[in-house]
Amino acid sequence: MQTDIDPRSLIGRKAFDRDGTKIGTVDEVYLDDATGEPEWAAVRTGLFSRDAFVPLEPSEVVDESLHVPFERALIKDAPDFGVGRHLSPEQELQLYHHYGLAVPSEGDPPPREDDAGFGKVAGRDED
């Protein structure tokens, strides 16, 4: 993803799958606690008002929308951790495996529960 984009500006943008089909709207963005970089977005899919986590890398922002290079079915089947909470390192690993992405720093020891994970940077205001 482009590094010059403010993660807060992603909130409310439409999200599309690799075929250009709308999957929902970006509801929240999660930053890596260690690096401060945006890593995941929670996309409100509309199906049972569920949010699906999608990786921001290798996604792209194109024409004011987020384009996620995965099939809609894979996105909708992503593990459901709920939103508004911190993602643990174990949850992050589940997401990396779900999307078939290489896990960063795979040579590092396995994460512990008290290790840093991913914290929400911003979300849409609740009505």
Side-chain angles (χ1 to χ4, degrees), residues 1-2 11 15 17 19 21 25 33-38 42 51 58 64-65 74 77 86 90 98 106 114 121:
M1 192 184 83
Q2 297 129 294
I11 306 301
D17 72 0
D19 298 321
T21 303
T25 304
D33 286 343
T35 66
E37 294 295 317
D51 281 74
E64 299 299 313
S65 58
L74 182 67
D77 287 341
H86 202 83
E90 291 80 11
H98 175 77
E106 204 156 16
D114 60 341
V121 67

Side-chain angles (χ1 to χ4, degrees), residues 10-52:
L10 293 173
I11 306 301
R13 290 187 190 214
K14 302 296 180 210
F16 297 87
D17 72 0
R18 73 176 187 186
D19 298 321
T21 303
K22 182 181 171 193
I23 54 173
T25 304
V26 177
D27 206 19
E28 296 180 351
V29 175
Y30 289 76
L31 302 180
D32 183 306
D33 286 343
T35 66
E37 294 295 317
E39 296 281 338
W40 300 97
V43 175
R44 174 75 40 131
T45 64
L47 184 62
F48 305 112
S49 296
R50 179 184 183 274
D51 281 74

